[in-house]
Amino acid sequence: MQFAYRRRGHSQETWLRAWQKIPEYFDGSHFRGWLFQIAKNLLLDEFRKKKMTSLSEGMNAPEMQDAAQAFINQEEKQQLQNCLSQLDDSRQQIVRLRLSGQSHREISDQLQIDYTTVQTRFHRAKQFLEECVQSTRKETA
């Protein structure tokens, strides 16, 4: 797949944008994530503007949107995975079991933890994950 750009290549544009925005937006942590967010935003801008002038044959607009959405989904999964890894083992296990469809009661029975403890740990883990993902998005914006 080849993209044609007006002035410079996508990676060059990404690094230029990063260089320009470091003083204003980068706080010194998670540089890789911040850089990927810049690249993603530039790519999405190109899709939105419909300024792409050449693509490999056989690739149409719906496939491009699917590819962009897949990239976004992958980035979001990676952000969530990074945040999830910051939880202690017990909360990670509760969140994973809950995401697999188990109820609080089933998790309580399986892990032999008090039902209200499972509810509390899940609630606090969920709050942490929401805040963590939001802060990651702010860092990479």
Side-chain angles (χ1 to χ4, degrees):
M1 181 184 325
Q2 179 182 357
F3 298 106
Y5 292 94
R6 289 172 273 141
R7 297 173 288 163
R8 50 182 86 82
H10 191 227
S11 60
Q12 185 177 2
E13 185 71 31
T14 301
W15 283 104
L16 178 64
R17 184 79 50 95
W19 181 257
Q20 292 169 339
K21 300 294 181 180
I22 278 178
E24 189 176 349
Y25 293 107
F26 186 63
D27 67 356
S29 62
H30 306 293
F31 181 75
R32 182 174 177 235
W34 182 71
L35 189 63
F36 276 111
Q37 186 70 37
I38 291 171
K40 179 179 84 171
N41 290 342
L42 286 169
L43 180 65
L44 290 174
D45 288 346
E46 289 295 320
F47 283 141
R48 287 185 195 116
K49 292 176 188 176
K50 298 180 182 177
K51 295 278 184 175
M52 291 190 193
T53 58
S54 73
L55 289 173
S56 63
E57 291 181 25
M59 181 109 177
N60 58 30
E63 290 172 340
M64 287 189 308
Q65 291 173 349
D66 290 345
Q69 189 60 47
F71 180 76
I72 292 168
N73 290 344
Q74 185 61 34
E75 284 293 311
E76 289 172 348
K77 285 179 187 177
Q78 186 61 42
Q79 288 175 347
L80 184 58
Q81 196 66 25
N82 290 340
C83 292
L84 189 60
S85 69
Q86 296 177 37
L87 292 172
D88 63 64
D89 291 339
S90 174
R91 284 183 175 83
Q92 279 186 37
Q93 192 173 23
I94 290 170
V95 169
R96 290 181 196 282
L97 290 171
R98 191 75 179 107
L99 290 174
S100 72
Q102 293 190 26
S103 69
H104 289 134
R105 180 69 60 202
E106 292 169 328
I107 296 169
S108 172
D109 293 342
Q110 182 178 345
L111 300 180
Q112 298 179 344
I113 300 174
D114 183 62
Y115 175 74
T116 56
T117 302
V118 170
Q119 286 181 309
T120 302
R121 288 181 183 172
F122 178 74
H123 177 72
R124 289 184 180 157
K126 184 178 160 190
Q127 282 181 320
F128 171 79
L129 292 172
E130 288 171 353
E131 291 169 6
C132 180
V133 168
Q134 286 294 344
S135 69
T136 302
R137 285 183 183 153
K138 287 178 184 176
E139 290 173 3
T140 58

